[in-house]
Amino acid sequence: MSEASDSPPPSQNPVISETYDASKLGKLEGLEAVRKKPGMYIGGTDERALHHCVSEVLDNSVDEHLAGHCSRIEVTIHVDGSISIRDNGRGIPVDIHPQYGIPGVEMVLTTLHSGGKYGQGGYKFSGGTHGVGAKCVNAVSEWFEVEVSRGGQVHHMRFERGKTIKKLEVIGKARATGTYITFKPDNEIFRETTVFQTGRISQRLRELAFLNSGLEIAFLDERPAGSKPETYYYKDGVEEFVKQINTGKTPLHPKPIRITKETSVKNDDKQSEIHLEVVLQYNDTYNDQVLCYTNTIHNPDGGTHLSGFRSALTRAINQFSKANNLLKDKDPQITGDDVREGLAAVISIKHSDPKFESQTKVKLLSPEVESIVGSVCYEGLMMAFETTPSIAKRIVDKSLNAARAREAARKARETVRKGALSGGGLPGKLADCSERDPALTELYIVEGDSAGGSAKQGRDRRFQAILPLRGKLINTEKARLDKVLSNEEIRTLITACGTGIGEGDESVGGFNVNKARYHRIIIMTDADVDGSHIRTLLLTFIYRQMKGLIERGYIYIAQPPLYKIKRKKREQYVDNDEQLNRILLELGSEDVVLKRLKDQHVFAPAVIDRIVESLAAIEKLGAGVTRYGAGLAEYLDHHEKETHALPRYIARLREGNKESHEFLRDESARAAFLERQGLNADLTPVLADSGTTPPLPVEKKPVAPARRVTLHEIFESTEMTKLLKAIAASGLEINRFSTTEEARYTVTENVGQKTETTTELRAPLEILGHIRSLGRKGLSIQRYKGLGEMNPKQLFETTMDPDKRRLLKVSIDDAAKADALFTLLMGDEVPPRRQFIEDNALNVQYLDV
């Protein structure tokens, strides 16, 4: 049925008087197009797109390595949420472009489809091919800075939301070369989150180090207190990558098979160079992990290099088994699925002119690659099999066992499917919902009948279904599929979800995500050891047999509250430590009077809340200052009185046991400081011109104490300046943050009561500490663990109510890391698991004993 419309039929439409001419056409200038439609350029505005921005800048540094000009990359996440990427490559050109009349660095950071990767000879292989990478990052950043060390000078530019704020200027001398980019994501674009995930970035950096032997990558996340840098460097490159994938698994052959080839091919009247490297090693597990890369860019959806490799692998194993009479007449035919069981492989190609599906390069489309990879891999595998026939026989035996197990699993899946069709469909323990549209329904998988009973009573029956699971599931990491399907709890789960499992024909129980009965499947277990174990077992099964549910974003983990706090008649569940700190400040701000003593001004309650919120944010950002030995109050005292701008740099001078520091306002102040110290921008001494006659030896004098100078950029200064402006607008006096001898403020609590007390405070930051201590008065904080501790109403309100609950969506951001972690935690190898526990024991916040 079509919707009713108030517009007249076509024949009765009124005549449009306005003329349609060129004046009605618009044009987006500069990078406005990227800000208007970021999805076209970075794939969206979610967390994945946020991290794609890091990859875009990082890939430019890696391209310098591929060109033979970069050996080290440094990546740092700062406390304010900005991120820096520094390399020792050639540096982006800074000379004036002969055609466009602007510096090269400004052109490549502000003009779409510009760069050195269009065949002008700048790069032979590169991850960037569309000329939209770094400038798109510039467009979606609140601010973006670049420093280029080139030609003996350091050049600097600053942008805000894609627009040039500071033109290119020389800010110092340089002995080395390189590019240093820092940017802060814009929350106007990334409304879901602007927080970089340490694990996601560190895994990508480790991956790049594997794929680029000889490249050293250093990574530091400054946000946690006491964090230390990590360094990734792998001499054997991809071979070490495959060995890492197989960590915790037993390899069928000790040394991975490595296939390499350099060739050129003519395509579309253009000669392209292709370098291929494939490394593979079989293990004793039942799952495969094949990762594909083009010019070090991960292609999660594979492409022509993956299809060429798969066909070559199947053909080579079948050919070897037939030639050596390793198959009996009664044996099932070995398929592509069978030869991939237990396979760990990395396919890395370098292509001078690759074709991708989109700007995010998730899939390689270059048609010539498939035949090249197919023929090279087939020849390489046959040669490896013939030179080491014992290894080849082990691989064939494993493939044959996989084929037999596939037949057994097919029969088991058929049994599950028939049982679902003939037995009335759904399992008896499932409490289904009345809604039948999968997009509107959700399934709670609950630990145990007790919590399941509370969930059934507390749920909204219209759209919430409950499936209680009793006891521990079978560990699917250690069992073949036919044995897994004999487990009653697993069969119940498969039937309730309705998708089938594994790969293969859906008519015999194969997985089909479009048949999912619920588009939210929520794992709800206790926050203790047993609950974590059950959750891991469930995720292991879903990851191995129903991965499509995770890829579609259908799998969630319920987040029960972490604390229960009580104060007088107020009870509240608290989700995390950050929320607890916010509540402490809210409680401390209740019923207090903040007075400014110099004029007896009393702040309104709403103003107190804003002041406390801003001071708390400054305190958090202050870690970016105090780590360099300066006091936060002292640093804040150096803000500009008119603009409240804070110093951008801290210089630390150490001579013997004496240490001092100096605050430097901006790039000009930094340049002047370096000149006074006789230092280049990289803090190396400015050397005299080469060719000068060395001085004659002189009589030895007592050695002076060693002098050391370090220079640190305070990226958090921009955000703290905003907060200072907000505090000043609230009326708080901020000329001095350091403690004074005389009191400047008073905080009075329990106003109008017999227990009324007034405290004198001598600095703005003391207000924050005092308010926080007031918030803890009379407050009991209970660590919360079990779902069974709440009645049905409380369970719904805290964990199941869509308006109040917190859900954690399960995603596969890094398949290799996920695969390795499931193998480590759930596999047969005990020593690696013990090592993991020992390494992470001190990081555990809450331990159930």
Side-chain angles (χ1 to χ4, degrees):
M1 183 182 293
S2 60
E3 294 184 7
S5 174
D6 293 331
S7 60
S11 60
Q12 300 175 21
N13 273 337
V15 177
I16 300 175
S17 58
E18 289 187 40
T19 56
Y20 178 61
D21 55 21
S23 66
K24 303 298 185 293
L25 305 179
K27 178 185 176 184
L28 295 173
E29 297 293 336
L31 298 176
E32 289 180 55
V34 183
R35 291 186 63 82
K36 290 283 187 183
K37 300 287 184 182
M40 290 179 61
Y41 299 91
I42 58 173
T45 58
D46 56 4
E47 186 179 291
R48 191 210 59 77
L50 174 73
H51 289 82
H52 181 73
C53 289
V54 181
S55 293
E56 288 286 8
V57 178
L58 192 60
D59 291 342
N60 289 338
S61 297
V62 174
D63 289 342
E64 280 291 288
H65 171 77
L66 293 176
H69 301 287
C70 172
S71 61
R72 181 176 169 84
I73 300 172
E74 298 173 3
V75 179
T76 307
I77 304 176
H78 305 290
V79 180
D80 67 336
S82 62
I83 190 167
S84 298
I85 293 130
R86 182 197 296 270
D87 66 56
N88 63 349
R90 291 169 291 184
I92 303 173
V94 292
D95 53 313
I96 302 298
H97 194 280
Q99 182 178 351
Y100 301 105
I102 59 175
V105 63
E106 184 172 4
M107 186 179 81
V108 301
L109 291 176
T110 59
T111 308
L112 286 174
H113 309 294
S114 61
K117 301 167 186 177
Y118 291 103
Q120 305 96 321
Y123 294 90
K124 185 176 181 181
F125 301 112
S126 73
T129 58
H130 302 118
V132 298
K135 63 268 298 170
C136 289
V137 181
N138 186 8
V140 298
S141 297
E142 182 182 329
W143 53 265
F144 184 108
E145 290 192 4
V146 58
E147 281 187 19
V148 178
S149 298
R150 190 179 170 104
Q153 294 179 316
V154 181
H155 307 258
H156 174 267
M157 283 195 81
R158 182 178 172 93
F159 309 86
E160 290 182 6
R161 297 184 169 93
K163 295 181 179 178
T164 305
I165 300 301
K166 285 187 179 179
K167 287 286 189 180
L168 189 68
E169 60 179 344
V170 176
I171 60 169
K173 298 177 181 178
R175 192 169 65 177
T177 60
T179 302
Y180 184 26
I181 286 174
T182 306
F183 66 92
K184 187 173 190 293
D186 188 356
N187 56 19
E188 293 179 7
I189 301 293
F190 300 100
R191 297 188 179 183
E192 184 178 309
T193 182
T194 57
V195 179
F196 291 114
Q197 298 300 316
T198 306
R200 194 166 184 164
I201 292 176
S202 65
Q203 185 62 27
R204 174 59 180 157
L205 298 179
R206 185 181 291 108
E207 189 178 67
L208 286 171
F210 277 129
L211 295 168
N212 297 277
S213 56
L215 176 63
E216 182 181 349
I217 303 179
F219 175 54
L220 174 62
D221 184 356
E222 295 180 342
R223 293 171 298 184
S227 55
K228 296 181 179 178
E230 298 179 44
T231 301
Y232 311 116
Y233 176 83
Y234 303 101
K235 184 180 177 182
D236 294 329
V238 177
E239 201 167 316
E240 289 189 64
F241 195 176
V242 172
K243 287 180 179 178
Q244 192 217 38
I245 294 173
N246 277 332
T247 301
K249 308 169 187 176
T250 304
L252 291 189
H253 45 105
K255 186 170 177 59
I257 298 172
R258 182 171 180 263
I259 302 167
T260 61
K261 179 76 173 181
E262 296 185 12
T263 186
S264 60
V265 61
K266 194 169 185 178
N267 188 41
D268 296 333
D269 297 325
K270 187 176 182 180
Q271 200 75 15
S272 299
E273 287 199 39
I274 298 176
H275 293 188
L276 168 67
E277 182 176 11
V278 176
V279 180
L280 65 141
Q281 185 181 38
Y282 277 87
N283 57 62
D284 63 342
T285 68
Y286 310 127
N287 309 289
D288 69 293
Q289 186 74 40
V290 181
L291 303 176
C292 304
Y293 299 87
T294 305
N295 295 347
T296 75
I297 305 295
H298 184 212
N299 314 125
D301 293 346
T304 50
H305 45 358
L306 178 61
S307 55
F309 169 74
R310 282 181 167 178
S311 62
L313 183 67
T314 307
R315 191 155 54 102
I317 289 178
N318 274 301
Q319 177 62 32
F320 182 83
S321 58
K322 289 176 183 176
N324 292 273
N325 298 315
L326 298 178
L327 296 180
K328 305 287 192 298
D329 292 338
K330 62 180 181 179
D331 288 329
Q333 183 181 355
I334 296 176
T335 67
D337 289 340
D338 302 328
V339 302
R340 292 195 294 274
E341 184 179 282
L343 172 66
V346 173
I347 306 166
S348 175
I349 72 163
K350 294 183 175 67
H351 196 310
S352 58
D353 186 29
K355 304 292 188 300
F356 296 104
E357 187 176 70
S358 65
Q359 161 63 15
T360 51
K361 307 177 183 73
V362 293
K363 188 174 185 179
L364 179 68
L365 300 181
S366 303
E368 69 279 4
V369 170
E370 184 168 5
S371 59
I372 291 173
V373 173
S375 60
V376 170
C377 285
Y378 176 76
E379 293 170 8
L381 286 166
M382 291 304 294
M383 182 176 294
F385 291 164
E386 288 166 5
T387 53
T388 54
S390 60
I391 291 176
K393 288 176 182 177
R394 279 182 232 157
I395 294 173
V396 171
D397 285 343
K398 182 164 183 62
S399 301
L400 189 55
N401 286 332
R404 292 168 183 152
R406 174 171 49 82
E407 284 297 305
R410 182 186 62 78
K411 293 174 182 176
R413 275 203 302 263
E414 179 68 12
T415 303
V416 173
R417 187 180 72 88
K418 286 181 177 177
L421 292 175
S422 60
L426 299 175
K429 61 169 63 178
L430 171 70
D432 206 3
C433 53
S434 57
E435 176 64 57
R436 287 292 170 262
D437 183 355
L440 303 177
T441 62
E442 50 193 41
L443 172 67
Y444 275 86
I445 303 172
V446 186
E447 170 192 352
D449 291 334
S450 175
S454 293
K456 287 178 183 179
Q457 293 177 52
R459 67 178 174 139
D460 187 326
R461 296 171 182 269
R462 290 174 302 133
F463 63 92
Q464 290 179 326
I466 309 296
L467 178 65
L469 295 180
R470 183 183 299 170
K472 301 283 177 69
L473 274 73
I474 185 173
N475 184 352
T476 56
E477 193 71 23
K478 296 182 178 180
R480 279 192 185 275
L481 186 56
D482 52 333
K483 185 178 285 188
V484 169
L485 291 176
S486 65
N487 181 270
E488 183 181 349
E489 300 299 309
I490 290 290
R491 291 159 69 101
T492 299
L493 177 60
I494 296 170
T495 307
C497 292
T499 58
I501 60 168
E503 298 179 3
D505 188 352
E506 63 182 80
S507 65
V508 290
F511 180 80
N512 182 354
V513 72
N514 295 318
K515 290 190 174 182
R517 300 186 63 249
Y518 313 92
H519 285 188
R520 275 198 184 91
I521 299 172
I522 303 163
I523 300 171
M524 186 165 68
T525 61
D526 288 343
D528 58 12
V529 171
D530 285 340
S532 298
H533 190 197
I534 291 169
R535 185 165 62 245
T536 306
L537 289 167
L538 276 166
L539 288 173
T540 303
F541 172 71
I542 294 170
Y543 177 77
R544 295 301 186 196
Q545 299 298 333
M546 298 172 154
K547 190 185 288 187
L549 291 175
I550 302 177
E551 292 170 341
R552 282 283 185 95
Y554 291 174
I555 304 297
Y556 296 82
I557 296 173
Q559 301 284 283
L562 192 62
Y563 301 106
K564 180 181 179 181
I565 62 172
K566 191 173 183 180
R567 187 184 196 183
K568 297 178 181 178
K569 293 183 179 180
R570 174 175 174 172
E571 286 189 6
Q572 187 174 348
Y573 289 100
V574 181
D575 294 330
N576 51 46
D577 289 313
E578 188 174 340
Q579 185 183 359
L580 177 62
N581 283 326
R582 281 201 306 271
I583 290 173
L584 290 176
L585 293 175
E586 289 172 11
L587 293 173
S589 301
E590 289 178 356
D591 302 323
V592 299
V593 172
L594 175 64
K595 183 187 290 185
R596 187 172 59 211
L597 290 179
K598 72 175 183 179
D599 57 3
Q600 299 300 303
H601 172 74
V602 175
F603 293 90
V607 176
I608 296 175
D609 291 339
R610 291 200 296 272
I611 290 172
V612 168
E613 185 180 347
S614 297
L615 287 173
I618 283 181
E619 182 184 63
K620 184 177 179 181
L621 291 168
V625 176
T626 56
R627 65 160 38 92
Y628 301 126
L632 177 58
E634 181 190 8
Y635 174 71
L636 294 173
D637 284 345
H638 281 77
H639 71 271
E640 286 278 2
K641 303 308 178 188
E642 298 294 327
T643 64
H644 303 297
L646 286 158
R648 187 67 173 180
Y649 300 92
I650 294 179
R652 299 176 73 182
L653 298 91
R654 278 166 277 191
E655 195 163 348
N657 295 324
K658 295 180 180 179
E659 179 173 331
S660 61
H661 51 262
E662 187 175 333
F663 298 108
L664 308 173
R665 177 70 48 200
D666 50 24
E667 288 73 23
S668 299
R670 184 182 78 161
F673 171 81
L674 292 172
E675 189 172 349
R676 290 198 309 271
Q677 300 295 327
L679 298 172
N680 291 305
D682 59 359
L683 303 182
T684 56
V686 176
L687 302 176
D689 294 337
S690 58
T692 57
T693 305
L696 295 172
V698 295
E699 182 180 349
K700 289 185 178 180
K701 295 182 180 180
V703 178
R707 175 172 157 274
R708 186 181 174 200
V709 177
T710 55
L711 196 60
H712 308 283
E713 188 166 2
I714 307 302
F715 296 97
E716 296 78 14
S717 62
T718 301
E719 199 63 31
M720 283 197 276
T721 295
K722 292 181 187 176
L723 293 166
L724 285 182
K725 290 178 180 178
I727 293 173
S730 298
L732 198 72
E733 187 272 309
I734 60 170
N735 288 334
R736 183 170 179 181
F737 274 82
S738 298
T739 305
T740 57
E741 293 182 3
E742 294 183 1
R744 284 184 273 170
Y745 302 95
T746 60
V747 173
T748 305
E749 57 179 305
N750 300 326
V751 180
Q753 302 179 23
K754 291 182 181 179
T755 57
E756 179 180 308
T757 57
T758 299
T759 305
E760 294 183 342
L761 303 173
R762 290 167 171 75
L765 290 174
E766 285 186 1
I767 297 172
L768 183 66
H770 187 68
I771 294 282
R772 190 177 285 131
S773 67
L774 292 179
R776 287 190 174 275
K777 278 189 176 181
L779 185 71
S780 68
I781 302 174
Q782 177 189 346
R783 170 80 170 98
Y784 171 78
K785 289 193 302 182
L787 298 171
E789 296 177 21
M790 291 186 288
N791 60 42
K793 182 181 178 182
Q794 289 174 324
L795 183 61
F796 178 77
E797 288 177 348
T798 61
T799 317
M800 300 178 68
D801 183 353
D803 294 331
K804 299 178 182 178
R805 71 188 178 190
R806 283 192 319 131
L807 296 179
L808 179 66
K809 182 184 283 190
V810 179
S811 61
I812 309 176
D813 296 324
D814 193 294
K817 186 176 181 181
D819 185 273
L821 191 58
F822 278 120
T823 301
L824 175 71
L825 297 177
M826 309 303 294
D828 287 320
E829 294 293 313
V830 175
R833 185 156 54 248
R834 182 187 297 119
Q835 184 65 45
F836 176 84
I837 293 169
E838 290 173 355
D839 291 345
N840 292 278
L842 295 178
N843 298 328
V844 176
Q845 276 187 289
Y846 304 106
L847 186 62
D848 179 51
V849 293

